[in-house]
Amino acid sequence: NRKVFTPLCMTEPSDTAIFSLLSEDVPRKALRCVVLGSAPNQRSLARKLRTYQQEAALVLAKLVGAGLLEVRKAGREVRYTPSVKLLAMAEAYEKREPDFRARLLSALDTDGVAPRVVGRKACALLVEVDRGESRVLVALQMNPLCDVLR
């Protein structure tokens, strides 16, 4: 289990509730499963997450309520797909990534941790920073939706 924190300066104020929801493991994993197509319905999601169908239903309802998923019904079958809102958010955050990178590195420099960009791994910027008498490598998420959508 890992907790994902998204700096407030990185998100739109209207998206705060969405990123609060996605800071939890189960909703983030559930959204990722639906987006990648590995769990398009409640039963397959429950199996994928190794949980009860009731929990899968609750998580899916939260994601639908947040506008991140759309429900498609065909007879008795209910399937979930990424919403237009989610795809638009992802595109907007991707476009803002260079600006966020510059602001974050500037803030780290101002804090006196002497950031040095080492490289990139997926959606994270690998940065070495001062930590007292030593330097540590940290991975800074540049796009808050990246690990959900890729």
Side-chain angles (χ1 to χ4, degrees):
N1 288 346
R2 74 181 169 116
K3 197 77 168 164
V4 174
F5 295 95
T6 304
L8 290 177
C9 64
M10 186 176 184
T11 63
E12 292 296 321
S14 59
D15 297 339
T16 302
I18 289 171
F19 289 114
S20 177
L21 174 64
L22 295 179
S23 72
E24 301 170 30
D25 269 345
V26 175
R28 190 176 59 256
K29 288 178 183 176
L31 183 60
R32 183 171 169 80
C33 287
V34 172
V35 167
L36 297 178
S38 63
N41 60 44
Q42 180 181 315
R43 177 173 284 149
S44 62
L45 182 63
R47 272 195 308 264
K48 192 84 171 169
L49 297 177
R50 295 184 175 139
T51 188
Y52 297 103
Q53 282 197 44
Q54 293 87 345
E55 184 177 2
L58 178 65
V59 169
L60 287 167
K62 286 180 181 180
L63 293 169
V64 169
L68 300 175
L69 295 179
E70 294 176 355
V71 179
R72 306 241 190 259
K73 293 182 180 182
R76 291 179 55 192
E77 185 177 20
V78 177
R79 293 177 100 44
Y80 297 86
T81 59
S83 69
V84 171
K85 176 181 177 177
L86 174 63
L87 299 176
M89 281 176 61
E91 185 178 331
Y93 280 108
E94 196 166 320
K95 286 179 182 175
R96 286 199 305 247
E97 191 176 312
D99 176 56
F100 177 70
R101 173 187 167 149
R103 288 188 297 147
L104 184 58
L105 290 173
S106 175
L108 289 171
D109 195 40
T110 301
D111 284 346
V113 296
R116 184 176 68 84
V117 177
V118 176
R120 192 171 174 96
K121 183 177 180 183
C123 302
L125 189 63
L126 302 175
V127 179
E128 200 175 72
V129 295
D130 283 338
R131 184 174 180 200
E133 295 182 15
S134 63
R135 293 193 54 85
V136 294
L137 185 66
V138 294
L140 304 172
Q141 188 84 350
M142 292 289 103
N143 179 340
L145 291 171
C146 186
D147 71 334
V148 172
L149 299 174
R150 293 184 187 162

